[in-house]
Amino acid sequence: MSDGRALARAYLEQQRLLGTDAVALPADAEVVSPAAGPVAAGAPGSRPGSGDSPPPTSGVVHLTPGVSPGKDEKRDPVSGLPAAGLTYDPPAQDLFSSDPVQRATTLADIAELVSSCTKCRLCEARNNTVPGEGAERARLVVVGEGPGKTEDETGRPFVGKAGELLTKILSAIGLAREQVYICNVVKCRPPENRTPQYDEIAACVPYLFRQIELLAPGVILAMGNTAAQTILNTKQSLGALRSKVHRFRGIPVIVTYHPAALLRNPNWKKPTWDDVRIAHRLLDG
Ligand code: SF4
């Protein structure tokens, strides 16, 4: 292999590990893909690992392969991190939108909008909205499913026994609760703590997406099925989503069990610890 190709391959690999999903090159450039070897830009095969994928955009090398079911434990040989997983990039915001959620420029703006929100039926029985809390410059954002009884009573996310466990999990990787931002997919308590329904999630998720956009964290920790499936726009199970580094708008997403589930099933503590350590390594760069 020529020095130029070796350098290009190393550069692409570095970009992939840094979280770049695609690199655009001149249309007539020769492309060296880290996974598929040298190919011409725009030629079939310039999207690695996808023989039946759609024709690639000219001059774009996709660096994040899709999910690989059944290969959960495959590790990146350079970083030692789990293999890349799903990437979800929701549609870009309209800068001139009249939607107040899109026009919100602070987390306090979002909290104020949430406090008077009646976009779904979950507003009917709530005592308090639970928009989220934590550091405005948090490097880690923790996302759960929705408020429970104590959260509804206090207006704060992850309090009670599940919250105490989350605090312990965070402290095990050297983070105080105040250093992270903690929130949920839905901001009002579902009756009897049931799983939020699709239309409720659809109504509420713009708040979460805007919060993540404003925070621009280094890592998102999605705790539980609802958080993981909502953030990654997938119906895959939590088991299939664990042990991979996913991305939401380029931000690494790690999926793990919800602390409330750990209280019910202590056997999940070890895999949760494994997941949280991956998040920690990503935060450490
Ligand atoms: Fe509004 Fe979300 Fe509460 Fe529904 S759950 S009323 S969308 S804040």
Side-chain angles (χ1 to χ4, degrees), residues 29-156:
E30 184 183 33
V31 171
V32 180
S33 155
V39 292
S46 61
R47 189 181 177 96
S50 56
D52 54 357
S53 52
T57 308
S58 178
V60 175
V61 182
H62 293 270
L63 303 175
T64 308
V67 70
S68 305
K71 295 180 182 172
D72 291 11
E73 299 310 317
K74 193 174 174 187
R75 298 252 157 186
D76 183 282
V78 177
S79 67
L81 288 168
L86 295 175
T87 294
Y88 178 46
D89 199 0
Q93 310 295 332
D94 176 0
L95 290 176
F96 303 102
S97 169
S98 57
D99 179 352
V101 181
Q102 304 312 332
R103 293 173 68 90
T105 55
T106 66
L107 296 169
D109 290 345
I110 301 279
E112 194 174 329
L113 290 168
V114 165
S115 70
S116 58
C117 179
T118 55
K119 283 191 202 166
C120 83
R121 67 185 78 82
L122 296 185
C123 70
E124 291 164 11
R126 74 185 176 208
N127 289 305
N128 287 292
T129 54
V130 186
E133 68 179 23
E136 297 218 346
R137 301 174 77 93
R139 293 170 61 226
L140 178 69
V141 170
V142 175
V143 184
E145 178 177 286
K149 185 171 182 291
T150 318
E151 286 83 0
D152 177 63
E153 286 166 0
T154 59
R156 298 183 58 209

Side-chain angles (χ1 to χ4, degrees), residues 160-214:
K161 285 188 177 169
E164 282 170 24
L165 184 52
L166 174 63
T167 303
K168 281 184 192 164
I169 291 170
L170 293 172
S171 111
I173 56 169
L175 287 173
R177 189 181 155 105
E178 300 70 37
Q179 289 177 281
V180 307
Y181 194 83
I182 303 171
C183 58
N184 287 302
V185 171
V186 293
K187 313 301 188 189
C188 303
R189 183 193 181 201
E192 310 302 323
N193 291 349
R194 66 161 168 76
T195 304
Q197 294 174 3
Y198 178 80
D199 59 329
E200 295 159 355
I201 292 173
C204 207
V205 80
Y207 295 123
L208 172 65
F209 287 178
R210 188 69 182 137
Q211 285 174 317
I212 293 173
E213 211 167 45
L214 292 170

